[in-house]
Amino acid sequence: MNGSTVIRPAGQPRADLKSPWAALARIIIEALVVLGAAVPVYLLIKQALTPELESFAWPPRWLPHALTLAHLEGVFELAELRSALILSVAVAAVAAVAATALGTMLAYAMARRESLRQAGMAGVTAARLLPMIAVALPLTIVLINLGLYDSASGMGLALIHAALAIPTTALTTYGVFAAIPPEQEEAAFLDGASALRIFLAVDVPQAKAAIAASLVLSFIMSWDEFAFALLIQVTHRTLPPLLYYYTVFGDVGSASALALVMLVPALAVIIALRPMLKSGLVAGTQR
Amino acid sequence: MKSDSRRMSLTLWIFAGLPTLFVLAVLFAPAVQGMALSFEHGGAPVSNYAAVLRDKLFWRAVAGNLIIPAGSLVVEFIIGLALALTLSARNGRIAAIADVAAILPFAIPEIVLLAIARYIFMPRGYLNGALRLLGIGPLPWLIPRSALSFATVIVVDAWHVTPVVMLIIVAGLQTIPPELYEAARLDGAGTLATFRHITLPMLAPALLAALVLRGIDALRIFSTTLVLTGVEGVPVISTYAYHLWTDAQQPRMAMAASVLLALLIVVTALVGLLAMRRTTLLRTV
């Protein structure tokens, strides 16, 4: 066994890497990871840009023979697809603003009182235990009574998406508030400022980046969400349930074009927010 | 100053209370209402729970709801661990590309990933096309009730969440002090010995926490089986309840099945939390 192939913690350069086998294994794994990510995305782009007949060819074609923009144009021109796009943006925008406002408040309270922090963490954990189906089915009855079931505005769905995203927005902003030293607030206190004013004038400006990340993350969570959207927006569909119907019953080209339109903002955001994502995910594993 | 801190306290309670009330109203209140519905008598000769427990499809859904999460957890933890060890140990441009690529399956919206998976695994899909070049197949990747369709669902489910497992393990690796590796190296310990005696034990708490979190999420599986195989193909409890609610028009039975799923999740979580407490106790002794 070669003692030089010790596994090192991240961030440390492996200056002592000598074994060619270890290097080879690493390159193979990295190549597989890149292929595994790139090939499916490539196939989706290919299907979105090729005529329908080509997508149904057997054996399947790996390279496009003829190119067309018809499917992509359809997403923005066909009434059904365009209204789903608009509804998805509206629902995600409302959900993101609500989840970020409420999540930021919760995070601030958790950062300033230990008892609230413990209660907040317990609540976040409890919310994870609920099977979505146990919430979604009875919720349709509640929304019918409120006149928000399958509404053209999508606001019933936006409420749910906001509630689902609050744990994420709270965990994303919590760290910043916890790091702000209390002395900064005390000075403002002595000047007679109200607690709300201190929060808005002292704390929020320092948490701007985390709040922006929360907005974008919760927007994408709503943008991606499928199960509740399927159950609640039955005729006024957002993009995910519409893509479901196109994938199962519709044509390959339109479904792929729709998938591509959903994919681009989601990829951009998650890749840009990778560092934030890590801290948010890891926060849930450390108690 | 005292009245100031009281004023502060009031603000903090409002700040914590508003989001809590909102989440309670939107998520927990309907769940309680659904639970009540599951005990309501629907005119049938037996209770909703008895009706569910007598349904053969329910027991197939239970089997699916145990086999798929278990299989998915095994796959995502083995691959997640391998990726974390490989990718965290390297710098440079290729590593950076691989780093982004490793996150990609998680960044792809779930329904988009499932749409791609359908095109790959369908009878005349890309996978059978690729196998044909090797003279194999075509294989029935998604044929209802086949063992192969379970394997396909497991692979697709694991594909989506492996990046999450990887990120948690990477964070766990970063907490291991480099001196331990230095000491192991000086003692002449090999790669495997170092992994067994340093990396794995030091990583155990992070692995267990990730296992509990992912296990809970895995039990809630819904979209993957619905989109890939439909309700009857590979049933799980969530899609079974969805089927009862929409197609079968049996809302009370649907809620009974959902409550049974909630019970399964809570029991699993309690076992997991107990195990976590035990390992942290062992580590502090």
Side-chain angles (χ1 to χ4, degrees), chain A residues 96-97 99-105 107-108 168-177 180 199-200 202-219 273 276:
Chain A
V97 171
T100 303
L102 289 167
T104 305
M105 288 162 64
Y108 180 68
T168 305
T169 54
L171 287 179
T172 309
T173 46
Y174 169 78
V176 185
F177 291 132
I180 295 175
F199 170 67
L200 291 175
V202 178
D203 298 273
V204 168
Q206 299 188 56
K208 260 187 206 151
I211 291 172
S214 292
L215 265 176
V216 178
L217 262 184
S218 46
F219 183 94
L273 289 184
M276 289 278 181

Side-chain angles (χ1 to χ4, degrees), chain B residues 27-186:
Chain B
L27 298 183
F28 285 85
V32 172
Q33 211 173 329
M35 205 166 173
L37 190 63
S38 76
F39 291 109
E40 229 174 63
H41 213 61
V46 290
S47 78
N48 307 312
Y49 286 90
V52 164
L53 293 176
R54 278 181 197 182
D55 191 350
K56 271 200 187 116
L57 187 57
F58 172 71
W59 290 106
R60 281 182 57 211
V62 171
N65 219 122
L66 295 175
I67 295 169
I68 295 165
S72 178
L73 285 176
V74 169
V75 173
E76 71 205 44
F77 270 79
I78 291 175
I79 298 181
L81 188 60
L83 289 183
L85 292 174
T86 313
L87 297 180
S88 72
R90 265 260 281 236
N91 296 316
R93 194 176 299 157
I94 297 171
I97 294 171
D99 206 21
V100 170
I103 314 257
L104 207 67
F106 178 65
I108 297 175
E110 187 182 30
I111 186 69
V112 173
L113 190 92
L114 294 175
I116 301 175
R118 265 183 82 103
Y119 295 129
I120 291 175
F121 288 104
M122 67 187 187
R124 293 184 151 208
Y126 294 102
L127 184 54
N128 277 337
L131 287 177
R132 193 173 176 272
L133 299 176
L134 305 172
I136 308 170
L139 295 174
W141 299 105
L142 291 172
I143 297 301
R145 286 169 179 257
S146 67
L148 197 56
S149 64
F150 274 84
T152 306
V153 169
I154 286 172
V155 166
V156 173
D157 194 52
W159 181 21
H160 188 41
V161 290
T162 298
V164 180
V165 177
M166 181 196 76
L167 288 179
I168 295 174
I169 295 175
V170 166
L173 284 174
Q174 284 168 336
T175 62
I176 303 176
E179 297 82 44
L180 283 179
Y181 289 108
E182 199 58 33
R185 201 174 61 84
L186 291 177

Side-chain angles (χ1 to χ4, degrees), chain A residues 39-101:
Chain A
V39 169
V41 174
Y42 162 73
L43 291 176
L44 194 66
I45 296 172
K46 193 214 82 175
Q47 288 184 164
L49 293 179
T50 52
E52 195 61 17
L53 271 176
E54 212 172 288
S55 299
F56 279 119
W58 178 259
R61 299 227 176 115
W62 299 94
L63 295 170
H65 288 223
L67 291 174
T68 172
L69 283 174
H71 305 305
L72 272 175
E73 283 167 2
V75 175
F76 299 97
E77 280 165 12
L78 292 174
E80 186 184 27
L81 305 187
R82 200 172 52 188
S83 60
L85 181 62
I86 294 169
L87 190 60
S88 266
V89 172
V91 167
V94 172
V97 171
T100 303

